Amino acid sequence: MESKALCLPEEFVTKSNEIVKPPYKHGYYSIYSIYKEQSKLERESQNEALANALDLAAAICSMMLKPDSTNEPFQPFMRLGGKRSAVADDFNTEQLSFIENVLAGIEDHFVKARFADLLWLCVNPKKVSHVRTAIENYLTLPIHPDTWHSDIGNCWKRCIRLARQIRDTDSIENIENALLSALQNEYPDSSFMHLWIAEIIDSNGLCRDQIESLAELLFDKAKDFHRNQGYREARDYLSLSERIFKSLGNEESRLDCLLIAADCFELEGDSRAGSNIPSQMVANSFYENALQAYRRIPVARRDELGVTDKLKSIRDKITKAGSGSLSEMGLLKSPGIDISELVIGARKHVENKQTLELALLCFTGFSVQEYQVLRQRTVKSIHKFPLSNLFAGTHMAGDGRVIAKTPAMNFDIDSHESEKSIFNKVVQTFHQDMQLTVEGQIIPALNQILSEFRVTKEYLRLICYHSPIVPEGREYLMASALWSGFEHDFGNGIHLLAPQVEHLVRMILKSEGVHTSNIDREGIENENGLTTLLNNERAEEILGEDLLFELKAVFTESVGPNLRNEVAHGLLSDRSSSSVASVYSWWMILRLVVRSLYSAEKE
């Protein structure tokens, strides 16, 4: 943003406190408009310096808040013809210094929170006073249905993220208390206010001690809406309460939610089919949704709950409504492990580094056990508990599919027949260590880095561009995959990362003269998949024993996460795509990319 002469901080503070007064119908856009209108008046009065300061404040308040992003929470509110409005990177040191000087005098909580948040994001070294000011002022914003979607809801989400970023437990507790208190209020003019509050609690993992009570409150609200023909409201409330009951393992309450939700679809279909202005087409759509909703009830419980008969009647209604539509047409849990010391050590390992480069180098420096060490541990465990390995094992996916079988192990552990079983056991040992590494080191260290540095996609693209192992023309895709991890979006990250890992391995093997494709009987040449590539006879020679095992254990072994197969066949759900394995795979590839730069420089 172009630097212009600014007035004295005291003059701006006086004018800002005079003109900026709540309520704001359109949130920050309303404040932006106030500053712009006053700037025009000041410019007409030849007070250019104050007008410039007001323009600066307007630009800061014009940015749209994207609370789920750690590194780029402020987006331009307008893009047109290759141009855009302001973003955080547009403000220079002089302008940020001016905002820092006026911060203490600003009275409006909306403005003060935005100014402090921008300073926390952009000023280096970071000052905790800025983020605490932002949190303190975000917490004062009223929870009310009229303004919830005029930035206030996003401000509360941003407040939670900031408090978590600096591990401010007191603020988190205050946030939880405020949201729980808001849930006790009545909102006669808003059917969804309780749901909006509950969603922010659930999506941010708050109030875990009261989460079952929250699900029951939502369920009671849904039943009231169901009785009073508020079918849409009931379904939305039931959707969240069902999800919470499922996470708590409360199967009976979960089934109650599913049954009422399905009934809502059916009753709404009936109402549309029999209204004063009937629409069989709309009714048919609701009946189809009801059918799918009833099908979510487990088969073993359908007769008991009367769902089997419901499915038959719904099919009849679908047939009838479909015909009528034609005339309407026009053309096991183990004991917990105390990892607090590991977490503290991980944070200290990366904190207070002078540069982001050094922090990432430390972050990717956590030790990974060598394959032979893992194998020795596994064999020792087999010797200690021999009976558990005398029987074959069957491995099943979460949906009941058999995905792998482990043969029984001979008494002669060193025999060739036992080697496959040992390897599978090593993969399982590695996966157990992986969870400890992710929860005790990777995530705490990642959060520590994000509390001190801002990681942009462009920065990662440059790292990938200079990395000798990232294939040419794949810099942006690899950077996008890695950047997702810094946004804690590991679900999207693994879907980008898995195919790029396969291509990376393919290019490394090709560079060593390995044939990475096969030609079928028709003379058509097809590229080999990652499993075949990693099983190539020269793979260990080229990649090394440890890296080869790590890639197999994470991406291709059916007794492990098998991420390549899970991604390729669309088997990952919203939840499973953000698993420990996804986090580890992201860190593993980041480690290879970052360390390749160090190795190249050393050579």
Side-chain angles (χ1 to χ4, degrees), residues 518-546:
N518 63 82
I519 301 176
D520 64 18
R521 293 179 180 179
E522 302 295 328
I524 298 174
E525 186 172 3
N526 299 297
E527 286 289 350
N528 294 327
L530 184 60
T531 302
T532 304
L533 294 173
L534 295 179
N535 287 331
N536 187 278
E537 59 184 8
R538 293 192 58 203
E540 183 174 329
E541 168 198 339
I542 296 169
L543 298 173
E545 183 182 51
D546 298 329

Short mmCIF file of all heavy atoms in Angstrom, two decimals, residues 518-546:
data_model
loop_
_atom_site.label_atom_id
_atom_site.label_comp_id
_atom_site.label_asym_id
_atom_site.label_seq_id
_atom_site.Cartn_x
_atom_site.Cartn_y
_atom_site.Cartn_z
N ASN A 518 5.41 -50.58 -17.65
CA ASN A 518 5.33 -51.91 -18.24
C ASN A 518 4.56 -51.83 -19.54
O ASN A 518 3.71 -50.94 -19.73
CB ASN A 518 4.66 -52.90 -17.28
CG ASN A 518 3.22 -52.51 -16.97
OD1 ASN A 518 2.32 -52.80 -17.75
ND2 ASN A 518 3.02 -51.84 -15.84
N ILE A 519 4.83 -52.77 -20.44
CA ILE A 519 4.16 -52.80 -21.74
C ILE A 519 3.30 -54.06 -21.81
O ILE A 519 3.81 -55.18 -21.62
CB ILE A 519 5.19 -52.78 -22.89
CG1 ILE A 519 6.05 -51.52 -22.80
CG2 ILE A 519 4.49 -52.86 -24.24
CD1 ILE A 519 7.16 -51.45 -23.82
N ASP A 520 1.99 -53.89 -22.04
CA ASP A 520 1.10 -55.05 -22.06
C ASP A 520 1.13 -55.74 -23.42
O ASP A 520 1.86 -55.34 -24.33
CB ASP A 520 -0.32 -54.65 -21.66
CG ASP A 520 -0.96 -53.66 -22.65
OD1 ASP A 520 -0.46 -53.55 -23.80
OD2 ASP A 520 -1.96 -53.03 -22.29
N ARG A 521 0.31 -56.76 -23.57
CA ARG A 521 0.32 -57.57 -24.80
C ARG A 521 -0.13 -56.77 -26.02
O ARG A 521 0.17 -57.15 -27.15
CB ARG A 521 -0.59 -58.79 -24.61
CG ARG A 521 -0.06 -59.78 -23.57
CD ARG A 521 -1.01 -60.95 -23.42
NE ARG A 521 -0.52 -61.91 -22.43
CZ ARG A 521 -1.17 -63.02 -22.09
NH1 ARG A 521 -2.35 -63.29 -22.65
NH2 ARG A 521 -0.66 -63.84 -21.19
N GLU A 522 -0.87 -55.69 -25.77
CA GLU A 522 -1.33 -54.86 -26.88
C GLU A 522 -0.31 -53.80 -27.27
O GLU A 522 -0.55 -52.98 -28.14
CB GLU A 522 -2.65 -54.18 -26.50
CG GLU A 522 -3.77 -55.12 -26.11
CD GLU A 522 -4.22 -55.99 -27.27
OE1 GLU A 522 -4.15 -55.50 -28.42
OE2 GLU A 522 -4.60 -57.14 -27.03
N GLY A 523 0.83 -53.81 -26.57
CA GLY A 523 1.87 -52.83 -26.87
C GLY A 523 1.65 -51.48 -26.22
O GLY A 523 2.32 -50.50 -26.56
N ILE A 524 0.71 -51.42 -25.26
CA ILE A 524 0.42 -50.15 -24.57
C ILE A 524 1.28 -50.07 -23.31
O ILE A 524 1.33 -51.00 -22.51
CB ILE A 524 -1.07 -50.07 -24.22
CG1 ILE A 524 -1.90 -50.08 -25.50
CG2 ILE A 524 -1.35 -48.80 -23.40
CD1 ILE A 524 -3.39 -50.14 -25.25
N GLU A 525 1.95 -48.94 -23.16
CA GLU A 525 2.85 -48.74 -22.02
C GLU A 525 2.12 -48.03 -20.89
O GLU A 525 1.54 -46.95 -21.09
CB GLU A 525 4.08 -47.93 -22.44
CG GLU A 525 5.13 -47.81 -21.34
CD GLU A 525 6.41 -47.17 -21.85
OE1 GLU A 525 6.45 -46.78 -23.04
OE2 GLU A 525 7.36 -47.05 -21.06
N ASN A 526 2.14 -48.62 -19.71
CA ASN A 526 1.48 -48.05 -18.52
C ASN A 526 2.50 -47.83 -17.41
O ASN A 526 3.38 -48.66 -17.19
CB ASN A 526 0.39 -49.01 -18.02
CG ASN A 526 -0.69 -49.24 -19.04
OD1 ASN A 526 -1.38 -48.32 -19.43
ND2 ASN A 526 -0.83 -50.49 -19.49
N GLU A 527 2.35 -46.72 -16.72
CA GLU A 527 3.24 -46.43 -15.59
C GLU A 527 2.88 -47.33 -14.40
O GLU A 527 1.70 -47.59 -14.13
CB GLU A 527 3.12 -44.97 -15.17
CG GLU A 527 3.78 -43.98 -16.11
CD GLU A 527 5.30 -44.04 -16.08
OE1 GLU A 527 5.88 -44.71 -15.18
OE2 GLU A 527 5.91 -43.41 -16.96
N ASN A 528 3.90 -47.80 -13.72
CA ASN A 528 3.68 -48.63 -12.53
C ASN A 528 3.22 -47.78 -11.35
O ASN A 528 3.61 -46.61 -11.23
CB ASN A 528 4.97 -49.37 -12.15
CG ASN A 528 5.38 -50.38 -13.20
OD1 ASN A 528 4.53 -50.99 -13.84
ND2 ASN A 528 6.68 -50.58 -13.36
N GLY A 529 2.42 -48.38 -10.48
CA GLY A 529 1.97 -47.69 -9.28
C GLY A 529 3.05 -47.66 -8.22
O GLY A 529 4.12 -48.27 -8.35
N LEU A 530 2.76 -46.95 -7.12
CA LEU A 530 3.77 -46.76 -6.08
C LEU A 530 4.19 -48.08 -5.45
O LEU A 530 5.37 -48.28 -5.15
CB LEU A 530 3.22 -45.81 -5.00
CG LEU A 530 4.18 -45.44 -3.88
CD1 LEU A 530 5.43 -44.75 -4.43
CD2 LEU A 530 3.49 -44.54 -2.85
N THR A 531 3.24 -49.00 -5.26
CA THR A 531 3.59 -50.30 -4.66
C THR A 531 4.62 -51.03 -5.50
O THR A 531 5.63 -51.55 -4.99
CB THR A 531 2.34 -51.16 -4.50
OG1 THR A 531 1.39 -50.47 -3.68
CG2 THR A 531 2.68 -52.50 -3.84
N THR A 532 4.39 -51.07 -6.80
CA THR A 532 5.32 -51.73 -7.71
C THR A 532 6.67 -51.03 -7.73
O THR A 532 7.73 -51.67 -7.74
CB THR A 532 4.74 -51.78 -9.14
OG1 THR A 532 3.46 -52.42 -9.10
CG2 THR A 532 5.66 -52.53 -10.08
N LEU A 533 6.65 -49.71 -7.70
CA LEU A 533 7.90 -48.95 -7.71
C LEU A 533 8.73 -49.25 -6.47
O LEU A 533 9.96 -49.45 -6.55
CB LEU A 533 7.60 -47.44 -7.78
CG LEU A 533 6.94 -46.94 -9.06
CD1 LEU A 533 6.55 -45.46 -8.91
CD2 LEU A 533 7.86 -47.11 -10.26
N LEU A 534 8.08 -49.28 -5.31
CA LEU A 534 8.81 -49.51 -4.06
C LEU A 534 9.28 -50.96 -3.93
O LEU A 534 10.20 -51.25 -3.15
CB LEU A 534 7.95 -49.12 -2.86
CG LEU A 534 7.60 -47.63 -2.75
CD1 LEU A 534 6.72 -47.38 -1.53
CD2 LEU A 534 8.86 -46.77 -2.66
N ASN A 535 8.64 -51.86 -4.66
CA ASN A 535 9.06 -53.26 -4.63
C ASN A 535 10.10 -53.59 -5.71
O ASN A 535 10.51 -54.75 -5.84
CB ASN A 535 7.84 -54.18 -4.81
CG ASN A 535 6.97 -54.23 -3.57
OD1 ASN A 535 7.46 -54.05 -2.46
ND2 ASN A 535 5.68 -54.44 -3.75
N ASN A 536 10.52 -52.58 -6.45
CA ASN A 536 11.56 -52.80 -7.45
C ASN A 536 12.85 -53.29 -6.79
O ASN A 536 13.20 -52.85 -5.68
CB ASN A 536 11.81 -51.49 -8.22
CG ASN A 536 12.76 -51.68 -9.39
OD1 ASN A 536 13.98 -51.69 -9.21
ND2 ASN A 536 12.21 -51.82 -10.58
N GLU A 537 13.56 -54.16 -7.47
CA GLU A 537 14.76 -54.77 -6.87
C GLU A 537 15.85 -53.76 -6.56
O GLU A 537 16.72 -54.03 -5.72
CB GLU A 537 15.30 -55.85 -7.80
CG GLU A 537 15.67 -55.34 -9.19
CD GLU A 537 16.11 -56.45 -10.12
OE1 GLU A 537 15.98 -57.63 -9.73
OE2 GLU A 537 16.58 -56.15 -11.23
N ARG A 538 15.84 -52.61 -7.22
CA ARG A 538 16.87 -51.60 -6.98
C ARG A 538 16.40 -50.48 -6.04
O ARG A 538 17.15 -49.54 -5.77
CB ARG A 538 17.34 -50.99 -8.30
CG ARG A 538 18.08 -51.96 -9.22
CD ARG A 538 18.75 -51.20 -10.36
NE ARG A 538 19.68 -50.19 -9.85
CZ ARG A 538 20.07 -49.11 -10.55
NH1 ARG A 538 19.58 -48.90 -11.76
NH2 ARG A 538 20.92 -48.25 -10.02
N ALA A 539 15.16 -50.57 -5.57
CA ALA A 539 14.60 -49.49 -4.76
C ALA A 539 15.40 -49.27 -3.47
O ALA A 539 15.69 -48.13 -3.09
CB ALA A 539 13.14 -49.79 -4.42
N GLU A 540 15.78 -50.35 -2.79
CA GLU A 540 16.53 -50.20 -1.54
C GLU A 540 17.90 -49.60 -1.80
O GLU A 540 18.38 -48.75 -1.03
CB GLU A 540 16.66 -51.55 -0.85
CG GLU A 540 17.37 -51.46 0.51
CD GLU A 540 17.35 -52.77 1.25
OE1 GLU A 540 16.39 -53.55 1.10
OE2 GLU A 540 18.33 -53.03 2.00
N GLU A 541 18.54 -50.01 -2.88
CA GLU A 541 19.86 -49.47 -3.24
C GLU A 541 19.79 -47.96 -3.48
O GLU A 541 20.69 -47.21 -3.06
CB GLU A 541 20.36 -50.18 -4.50
CG GLU A 541 21.58 -49.53 -5.14
CD GLU A 541 21.77 -49.96 -6.60
OE1 GLU A 541 21.23 -51.02 -6.99
OE2 GLU A 541 22.44 -49.22 -7.35
N ILE A 542 18.72 -47.50 -4.13
CA ILE A 542 18.60 -46.09 -4.52
C ILE A 542 18.06 -45.23 -3.37
O ILE A 542 18.57 -44.15 -3.08
CB ILE A 542 17.70 -45.96 -5.75
CG1 ILE A 542 18.35 -46.66 -6.95
CG2 ILE A 542 17.43 -44.49 -6.09
CD1 ILE A 542 17.43 -46.82 -8.15
N LEU A 543 17.03 -45.72 -2.71
CA LEU A 543 16.36 -44.93 -1.67
C LEU A 543 16.96 -45.14 -0.29
O LEU A 543 16.82 -44.27 0.59
CB LEU A 543 14.87 -45.29 -1.62
CG LEU A 543 14.06 -45.00 -2.89
CD1 LEU A 543 12.64 -45.55 -2.74
CD2 LEU A 543 14.01 -43.51 -3.19
N GLY A 544 17.60 -46.27 -0.08
CA GLY A 544 18.10 -46.61 1.25
C GLY A 544 17.07 -47.43 2.01
O GLY A 544 15.86 -47.27 1.82
N GLU A 545 17.55 -48.30 2.87
CA GLU A 545 16.65 -49.21 3.59
C GLU A 545 15.64 -48.48 4.45
O GLU A 545 14.46 -48.84 4.49
CB GLU A 545 17.49 -50.15 4.46
CG GLU A 545 16.67 -51.19 5.21
CD GLU A 545 17.51 -52.06 6.11
OE1 GLU A 545 18.29 -51.49 6.91
OE2 GLU A 545 17.42 -53.30 6.02
N ASP A 546 16.09 -47.44 5.15
CA ASP A 546 15.20 -46.76 6.10
C ASP A 546 14.10 -45.97 5.39
O ASP A 546 12.93 -46.06 5.77
CB ASP A 546 16.02 -45.83 6.99
CG ASP A 546 17.03 -46.58 7.83
OD1 ASP A 546 16.75 -47.74 8.19
OD2 ASP A 546 18.11 -46.03 8.11
#
